[in-house]
Amino acid sequence: MGAVHSVSREVRELEGKTGFSFDQIDHLHWRFKKLSRDQPTIRKENFNRISDLEFNPIRYRIVRAFFDNRNLRRGPSGLAEEINFEDFLTIRSYFWPIDVSMDEEQVELCWKEKLRFLFHMYDSDSDGRISLEEYKNVVEELFSGNPHMEKESAHFVTEGAMMEAANVCVGQMEPDQVYEGITFEDFQKIWQGSDIETKMHVRLLNGETMALCH
């Protein structure tokens, strides 16, 4: 009986930390065990079992996001070697739909958290700014699955996108002025009014679809 009470207490604590219900935690724990093969932690190689990720051009970034200390709320940089179930819940919380019962302030805060998760996928060096090179790397990866697109095309797309970002975030620039990159504040302006919840999806085990940026 004591063990049952201990498990219930742990689940209640997770409910308070993550916002998931008891049933959701139970379901996600089954998913975690499936992915970890009943081990207490997940490592990057466990994601090799997700066949739908195999041909995803940004597979590396998706997997990396699960181990990014910024997303795990452990620190401003670095990657974890492995994650436990509570860490897994923390990452999955970024993907969960925004609760319709939230007030406007809560919705705004939740939206920012999810957007910050997406920002971290671009900002690979954790300096708080998406540089031209970092943006180009993502575009090249996205184009890598298209045999008709060349790296030169990625370069043009990247420069065009950065110029547009500069216009949106800075406005009219002087001829000798250099836009150093997209900050998170700029990123928010760019995405303002966009439905990030439908942009990208990751399919997990047994066909479960997980939105990458809910």
Side-chain angles (χ1 to χ4, degrees):
M1 181 67 71
V4 173
H5 285 160
S6 176
V7 170
S8 298
R9 184 172 62 253
E10 289 177 7
V11 172
R12 285 197 298 271
E13 289 176 356
L14 288 174
E15 284 180 307
K17 288 180 179 179
T18 65
F20 289 121
S21 68
F22 182 94
D23 288 341
Q24 288 168 340
I25 290 173
D26 185 58
H27 174 72
L28 289 171
H29 189 247
W30 179 82
R31 292 290 178 190
F32 178 86
K33 290 178 68 177
K34 194 85 170 175
L35 193 58
S36 69
R37 297 191 175 188
D38 289 326
Q39 295 302 307
T41 60
I42 288 174
R43 301 177 70 88
K44 294 183 184 70
E45 50 265 33
N46 292 110
F47 285 83
N48 294 334
R49 301 185 57 220
I50 305 177
S51 58
D52 291 272
L53 274 179
E54 184 178 353
F55 301 108
N56 190 308
I58 58 169
R59 175 189 180 281
Y60 164 77
R61 293 181 185 274
I62 294 170
V63 174
R64 187 180 187 275
F66 276 79
F67 299 86
D68 191 322
N69 284 332
R70 295 171 296 178
N71 299 331
L72 294 168
R73 298 162 189 165
R74 293 181 181 178
S77 63
L79 297 173
E81 288 293 322
E82 56 188 16
I83 58 174
N84 59 26
F85 179 56
E86 186 173 337
D87 295 328
F88 185 72
L89 289 181
T90 297
I91 298 299
R92 287 304 300 264
S93 68
Y94 293 106
F95 310 138
W96 219 251
I98 294 176
D99 191 336
V100 294
S101 66
M102 289 181 175
D103 60 33
E104 188 174 336
E105 185 176 344
Q106 289 174 319
V107 168
E108 179 69 15
L109 181 62
C110 190
W111 182 80
K112 282 185 179 180
E113 284 293 301
K114 297 171 190 299
L115 197 61
R116 194 179 294 278
F117 179 89
L118 185 59
F119 179 83
H120 291 161
M121 290 187 69
Y122 288 88
D123 178 26
S124 57
D125 64 1
S126 305
D127 70 346
R129 191 183 299 271
I130 302 170
S131 67
L132 178 66
E133 188 66 21
E134 286 173 326
Y135 196 94
K136 182 169 69 69
N137 289 340
V138 175
V139 173
E140 286 181 351
E141 289 169 17
L142 289 170
F143 281 1
S144 64
N146 188 336
H148 303 293
M149 301 297 292
E150 299 178 354
K151 281 194 173 184
E152 193 66 25
S153 299
H155 179 73
F156 288 135
V157 169
T158 303
E159 286 203 335
M162 292 297 276
M163 286 179 62
E164 184 177 350
N167 288 332
V168 171
C169 304
V170 181
Q172 187 65 38
M173 297 177 63
E174 298 297 327
D176 59 345
Q177 189 175 354
V178 177
Y179 183 57
E180 296 181 354
I182 302 171
T183 63
F184 181 64
E185 289 70 26
D186 294 344
F187 202 64
Q188 290 181 78
K189 292 177 183 177
I190 294 167
W191 280 85
Q192 192 66 46
S194 297
D195 182 14
I196 63 172
E197 298 188 1
T198 60
K199 296 299 180 185
M200 297 172 68
H201 291 80
V202 178
R203 191 174 295 275
L204 290 185
L205 297 171
N206 296 335
E208 179 192 358
T209 298
M210 173 183 74
L212 178 61
C213 41
H214 258 304

